[in-house]
Amino acid sequence: MTVETVTRPMDCLHFINGQFVESQNHKTFQNINPATEEVLGVVAEGGKEDVNFAVAAAKRALLGPWKKMTVGERSKILRKIGDLILERQEELACLESLDTGKPYSLAKKIDIARAAYNFHFFADYIISVGTDAYQQDQQALHYAYRRPVGVVGLIKPWNLPLLLLTWKLAPCLGMGNTAVIKPAEWTPMTATALMKICKDAGVPDGVVNLVHGFGENSAGAAISEHPDVDAISFIGEPGTGAAIMKLAAKSLKKLSYELGGKNPNIIFADSDLDEVIDTTIKSSFINQGEVCLCGSRIYVERPMYEEFLEKFVARTKQLKVGLPDEEATDIGALVSKEHYERVLSYLEIALEDGGQFLTGGSRPEGLNKGYFLEPTIITGLDRNSRCVREEIFGPVVTVVPFDMEEEVIMQANDTHYGLSASVWTNDLRRAHRVAQEIEAGMVWVNTWFLRDLRTPFGGMKHSGIGRTGGMHSVDFYSELTNITIKL
Ligand code: NAD
């Protein structure tokens, strides 16, 4: 199925108090298809005034019918949203693929399926949420009363637009909050489509609002500094997180941050090489390498190093870089010209630093338009090269041999980031030992990106603040009042 047969590209308006609206000042910006460099549509460019309207609507809605709903009623609405996402799975996958440049098949299988599951998961989860209660001898009974935080600003990135928005919006609504969403400027379409779905699912007006626009001096900053926004859930770069923190500090907002990663993929020589290769192809290049969890620093124990490289390079060469709507495509286009140029600049740095490209490094033949890059494997880089230290966020990995366990742990931790890691070994004791030494929020042993939504998800160091998933999400999106009854 091609994207053209499913949907026409669309223009994106804000969604405020249950209505699709233009910006107050009628400003717009263009949305570009990264695979063709053509204009997909125009997007309303929101600013302070639009954010003020959205926040006011969200604040009013906190006290309306939303407040009176039981948790069971909210759960039903979340379930309905998940169902409607699945009903529109193909259309949403097309929009996501057009916006991001990712393969349509990937968008359908991962992004949209998981977006629906985010709602289905929290529809079930919120039903059984409880709070602490303590009887203090014969003196007193203490119990915690849980309430929504209030108006939550959800500021989101472009790499997994609907998946990541729904990962936050589902628990936010489930716990009775109202939301003002700011999707990434490069990928506005599925968030806009989700607003219609929320309305169709019975979300009362004002509970979910969306303002398009940019970050600094634009909609993102306006949400971050608005005094009536009580909490911010942000996913993006650490630098942006710092900027938001500064703005949010004026009104002491509650913050949840999921930031970047430069994740180590540590392969010991006793691991099962075929399994390692299958998974490492994914953890390196899926979604054009534009996943915060990608294992972009690969460390291989020396006895396996040569064989690993031979097989890894051969398999990487088989990956098909192509148009997002072609079935055979494994790797689509990078999200934008600006990001493409940033990724290419890292390839120049790698060359300057003496790196060798075992494969990739250039635009694939036959794709003369669009932001396409061959999957790239680089060796020979020093640990101080910016390509080894900084998040490239493209289909680019570095591979380094190691001899000792302590050495690879030290190298893996030699970064400001601390999001995730993979460890490959069949030695049980070593698996636990290394996993516990790695400074990261998530460590996968003999796998990658295997998720259970009840588990804590997030990063340490510059990769994030707090955790989400299951009870961690519930805690962020609610406030507790401890009530003490003297007996
Ligand atoms: P980004 O930080 O550039 O932008 C994210 C969002 O913040 C966008 O909506 C943007 O408009 C907004 N923004 C930018 N400046 C702002 C400001 N001054 N005030 C308020 N809002 C502002 O990130 P990106 O390029 O969209 O996404 C890529 C980054 O996200 C990578 O670092 C990636 O690792 C990270 N990421 C992390 C996770 C995770 O779960 N840890 C998941 C996905 C992406």
Side-chain angles (χ1 to χ4, degrees), residues 186-293:
W186 292 334
T187 54
M189 294 207 287
T190 48
T192 311
L194 182 67
M195 296 303 98
K196 171 82 168 61
I197 287 176
C198 287
K199 197 168 169 104
D200 291 348
V203 175
D205 290 351
V207 169
V208 179
N209 306 274
L210 172 146
V211 181
H212 292 290
F214 299 88
E216 203 176 352
N217 299 318
S218 182
I223 293 171
S224 307
E225 65 186 350
H226 199 293
D228 289 337
V229 171
D230 302 289
I232 295 209
S233 156
F234 170 68
I235 307 180
E237 290 179 6
T240 311
I244 289 175
M245 195 179 257
K246 249 190 179 168
L247 297 171
K250 289 181 211 154
S251 47
L252 294 170
K253 297 186 200 320
K254 194 175 183 185
L255 300 176
S256 161
Y257 276 7
E258 283 174 16
L259 309 175
K262 184 74 181 177
N263 311 300
N265 180 8
I266 302 169
I267 300 160
F268 286 96
D270 69 340
S271 53
D272 181 333
L273 185 57
D274 289 338
E275 222 183 302
V276 169
I277 298 287
D278 282 348
T279 305
T280 298
I281 286 286
K282 289 191 200 120
S283 67
S284 302
F285 303 123
I286 199 169
N287 206 49
Q288 302 72 243
E290 296 167 331
V291 179
C292 55
L293 305 167

Side-chain angles (χ1 to χ4, degrees), residues 350-372:
L351 285 176
E352 280 163 22
D353 290 350
Q356 288 108 50
F357 289 33
L358 302 192
T359 182
S362 40
R363 176 184 277 280
E365 267 178 42
L367 289 169
N368 302 322
K369 266 197 164 179
Y371 311 123
F372 294 96

